Amino acid sequence: MVRVNILSKDEIVYGLEVKGHADFATSGKDLICAGVSCIITGGFNAFNKEDIEEITLEDGYAKVILKPGSESLKVLDTIIIQLQTIQEGYSKYIQIK
């Protein structure tokens, strides 16, 4: 299962951490993992480098922490909405907290 942890303080979102694999299908054919990977990779590429405090992107793991008040927080919101859309149809394979 892909586990997404939305990082926030005082109800203000500032980052996210994504761990695991969906196990929807075999490696190379897993559409859930492919979708999550595309959303995360594309989103991370859209961040302003100056807005990033911490960023990691590896197989089965991704994390980003953005500076408070940065313009890239809008991109982060978009990433979260896209992941929630996948969760709506495939909650057995992706969990967002």
Side-chain angles (χ1 to χ4, degrees):
M1 175 178 281
V2 176
R3 299 186 189 282
V4 179
N5 185 23
I6 298 172
L7 306 173
S8 64
K9 183 175 182 179
D10 299 325
E11 297 185 26
I12 298 171
V13 174
Y14 63 87
L16 65 85
E17 184 176 37
V18 182
K19 297 179 185 178
H21 293 280
D23 296 323
F24 175 75
T26 60
S27 182
K29 297 183 180 185
D30 192 322
L31 296 178
I32 306 304
C33 271
V36 170
S37 294
C38 287
I39 291 167
I40 296 298
T41 302
F44 280 22
N45 286 334
F47 291 137
N48 262 331
K49 290 182 183 181
E50 298 82 31
D51 293 343
I52 299 169
E53 283 191 11
E54 178 184 338
I55 193 164
T56 305
L57 184 59
E58 301 170 353
D59 182 35
Y61 183 79
K63 182 176 182 180
V64 67
I65 296 176
L66 299 174
K67 294 177 183 173
S70 69
E71 286 294 315
S72 291
L73 291 170
K74 294 176 185 175
V75 175
L76 183 61
D77 288 340
T78 302
I79 292 170
I80 292 168
I81 290 167
Q82 291 173 323
L83 293 172
Q84 289 169 335
T85 302
I86 292 177
Q87 183 185 27
E88 286 175 13
Y90 299 95
S91 60
K92 182 177 174 182
Y93 303 99
I94 181 172
Q95 179 184 52
I96 302 172
K97 291 184 181 179

